[in-house]
Amino acid sequence: MKIAMIGTGYVGLVTGVCLSDFGHEVVCVDKNCAKIETLRKGEVPIYEPGLDSVMQRNMDSGRLTFTTDIAAAVAGAQAVFIAVGTPSRRGDGHADLSYVMAAAEDVARTLTGYAVIVTKSTVPVGTNRKVAEVIRNARPDAEFDVASNPEFLREGAAIEDFMRPDRIVVGVETDRARAVMGDIYRPLFLRDFPIVYTGLETAEMIKYAANAFLATKITFINEIAALCERVGADVKSVAKGMGLDGRIGNKFLHAGPGYGGSCFPKDTSALARIGQEHGVPQRITETVIEINEAVKRRMVDKVLDLCDGSFNGKKIAILGVTFKPNTDDMRSAPSLTIVPAMIGGGARVHVVDPQGQREGAALLPGVAWETDPYQAVADAHAVVVLTEWNEFRALDLGRMARSMAEPRMADLRNIYDRGEAMAAGFQQYEAVGR
Ligand code: NAD
Ligand code: UGA
């Protein structure tokens, strides 16, 4: 089947690459010419483990191509995926649908025969109907259906998540569209990965409900962590003890510096807006958003305490600034709140991140970028673990402590233990919730 993929960001590129790996002919389109040039050379413009080899394999087979010419991509395609961004709209926190609607107009202009227009982007309830309306108004003659097919992959584990999904959600209204969607995902269906067919509104809602629930789970444990610190309990053991209950589950119960990323912050905010607009306020989600902001501020206070109440003139080493490990994505990373607060207080901040510098350089002005954690901590008054990259999990704490001006650590991802840090020569060790 020929498939057109509009948007080659984290989701569009991974989806396009994986669908071509299923044997489909995929043409990926982006309006960003530089990105398409890079992709044509076989280079991946983002950091996503494993993506380059699957992409190369499918480019070599001729099934995967890249273009800026939307008409060429859409011509003859039986499915056209819209995988463009839906960032938070400035001012009101609603999802900005301008990219989706512009893509729908592009599709309307270029449709040649029957195709299913599949929205992969995360979009508020009602958007798929609006996409259909835009196309119908522009091209009353066009033969098409729309489908909602939200994506649940995580950055850093995107290939694995796409190839081995917990479920595939497909919102459709016609048998014809359902058959096309069934063909697209046939390789996964044959391997028993469940496909949930619903109506359009339900599919759109599932995506927001899932992300808001996960953000709530993280926020719940972050709030419990704050209480653990006060009462002398250990949040890691609390999470383990809770998570072993099959009804709760142990995933997404890691306390930390607050959730970040390109999706939880914007999707919780959009869900809150959708609720308000429909007169059904999503009070839990609204509270989660507030608490997550407070969690980030609490982290600043934690490091401030570690620095005896003043950042002024202190050197602080930060390990990790991306919103999570195994990605170069800096969107809404907790570091973007925490690091500027330190710099604002007069700290000299030295940062090490295996992939964060390319995006982070512009977002974190005033920091010194280092490549070696030991270099970064030399003469520092505190070291802060902000992102739990694997390369930070087994550092020689003794070597670090010996080279620091004040051997103090704020381990905001709970990757070390107080006992081992103190035994290695740290004078102070602060974690989250323990
Ligand atoms: P992104 O910003 O990384 O990429 C979007 C791409 O679309 C950009 O390359 C942009 O140039 C391109 N684009 C925009 N308008 C276009 C147009 N009219 N024609 C051609 N190209 C166009 O976005 P992303 O992170 O991949 O997210 C895309 C959507 O998927 C969002 O709705 C997001 O919420 C959702 N989503 C993202 C993730 C994730 O892990 N990033 C996971 C699940 C769902
Ligand atoms: C998240 C969801 O997990 C995906 O299912 C979804 O498709 C995606 O959003 C999306 O809609 O874009 P992602 O943002 O890539 O994926 O990363 P996560 O692994 O979910 O982490 C999000 C944030 O929560 C990170 O800042 C992470 O550090 C934090 N987190 C996660 C915790 O603080 N504790 C946890 O236990 C888990």
Side-chain angles (χ1 to χ4, degrees):
M1 179 188 309
K2 179 178 173 187
I3 294 171
M5 183 66 56
I6 305 180
T8 59
Y10 287 85
V11 163
L13 183 57
V14 170
T15 307
V17 166
C18 291
L19 292 181
S20 68
D21 210 50
F22 291 170
H24 301 301
E25 180 197 340
V26 179
V27 185
C28 293
V29 204
D30 207 291
K31 59 180 186 185
N32 181 333
C33 303
K35 215 178 231 188
I36 291 298
E37 269 318 300
T38 304
L39 288 162
R40 277 186 169 155
K41 283 189 253 163
E43 290 166 21
V44 179
I46 52 172
Y47 178 74
E48 182 59 49
L51 183 55
D52 47 0
S53 57
V54 192
M55 186 174 107
Q56 194 59 60
R57 177 164 81 224
N58 288 286
M59 286 176 81
D60 292 346
S61 74
R63 283 194 299 266
L64 177 65
T65 52
F66 298 98
T67 182
T68 50
D69 180 356
I70 184 149
V74 171
Q78 283 154 279
V80 180
F81 279 74
I82 299 179
V84 300
T86 47
S88 268
R89 197 161 63 192
R90 221 173 266 239
D92 66 2
H94 215 316
D96 177 354
L97 291 178
S98 58
Y99 302 99
V100 171
M101 292 309 158
E105 281 166 18
D106 289 343
V107 174
R109 268 192 305 106
T110 51
L111 265 185
T112 52
Y114 176 78
V116 181
I117 317 308
V118 189
T119 303
K120 189 59 116 179
S121 303
T122 302
V123 292
V125 179
T127 305
N128 275 271
R129 286 195 197 286
K130 281 190 200 148
V131 166
E133 201 180 299
V134 165
I135 300 174
R136 205 173 297 117
N137 287 344
R139 281 281 300 282
D141 62 307
E143 231 196 321
F144 70 96
D145 282 306
V146 291
S148 168
N149 176 215
E151 181 51 55
F152 300 96
L153 64 78
R154 290 161 303 161
E155 289 178 22
I159 302 283
E160 171 74 7
D161 282 353
F162 195 93
M163 294 296 197
R164 307 183 56 77
D166 288 336
R167 79 308 205 181
I168 299 143
V169 171
V170 175
V172 274
E173 292 196 312
T174 68
D175 291 342
R176 199 174 180 188
R178 183 179 164 135
V180 170
M181 295 307 290
D183 282 348
I184 291 173
Y185 286 111
R186 194 176 146 77
L188 294 179
F189 179 70
L190 290 176
R191 283 158 58 213
D192 280 341
F193 294 107
I195 303 191
V196 180
Y197 286 103
T198 70
L200 297 172
E201 285 76 10
T202 303
E204 292 167 331
M205 198 66 212
I206 287 170
K207 176 64 195 176
Y208 280 107
N211 269 4
F213 189 84
L214 291 169
T216 302
K217 201 171 175 189
I218 297 166
T219 304
F220 181 85
I221 202 68
N222 281 340
E223 216 174 30
I224 291 288
L227 185 56
C228 283
E229 285 175 20
R230 201 53 71 83
V231 301
D234 179 341
V235 77
K236 259 183 127 166
S237 301
V238 171
K240 187 170 182 191
M242 283 170 67
L244 284 168
D245 184 328
R247 293 168 303 175
I248 297 173
N250 59 5
K251 294 186 178 143
F252 279 65
L253 278 183
H254 299 286
Y259 61 77
S262 66
C263 292
F264 286 170
K266 83 170 171 63
D267 292 346
T268 46
S269 161
L271 181 61
R273 290 294 305 175
I274 296 166
Q276 284 158 10
E277 274 177 7
H278 288 82
V280 188
Q282 298 296 293
R283 295 210 311 259
I284 294 178
T285 300
E286 287 173 3
T287 307
V288 162
I289 295 167
E290 255 177 55
I291 296 174
N292 196 53
E293 289 307 311
V295 169
K296 292 185 260 180
R297 289 196 298 273
R298 195 170 87 81
M299 297 301 127
V300 174
D301 292 342
K302 202 181 254 299
V303 184
L304 189 62
D305 284 349
L306 200 67
C307 292
D308 299 325
S310 169
F311 289 131
N312 202 18
K314 308 254 165 76
K315 173 179 173 182
I316 299 178
I318 304 281
L319 306 186
V321 286
T322 51
F323 81 95
K324 62 184 264 188
N326 296 325
T327 182
D328 55 356
D329 203 337
M330 289 287 299
R331 288 179 281 186
S332 298
S335 63
L336 298 178
T337 305
I338 297 169
V339 171
M342 293 170 181
I343 293 180
R348 290 174 289 123
V349 176
H350 288 236
V351 168
V352 195
D353 189 291
Q355 294 292 335
Q357 185 171 357
R358 195 180 46 173
E359 265 199 58
L363 297 169
L364 293 172
V367 310
W369 292 89
E370 307 265 8
T371 49
D372 174 27
Y374 298 104
Q375 201 93 46
V377 301
D379 300 320
H381 298 86
V383 54
V384 181
V385 180
L386 208 42
T387 312
E388 70 280 30
W389 284 90
N390 263 344
E391 37 273 83
F392 301 147
R393 286 179 185 271
L395 292 169
D396 180 342
L397 297 187
R399 183 176 162 197
M400 284 168 68
R402 282 192 299 277
S403 75
M404 292 176 71
E406 303 272 358
R408 298 168 170 182
M409 181 189 293
D411 177 5
L412 305 185
R413 296 288 184 169
N414 291 344
I415 60 176
Y416 292 107
D417 279 327
R418 174 168 286 111
E420 65 175 328
M422 301 307 264
F426 274 87
Q427 280 165 9
Q428 241 180 308
Y429 168 89
E430 291 301 327
V432 177
R434 42 202 322 234

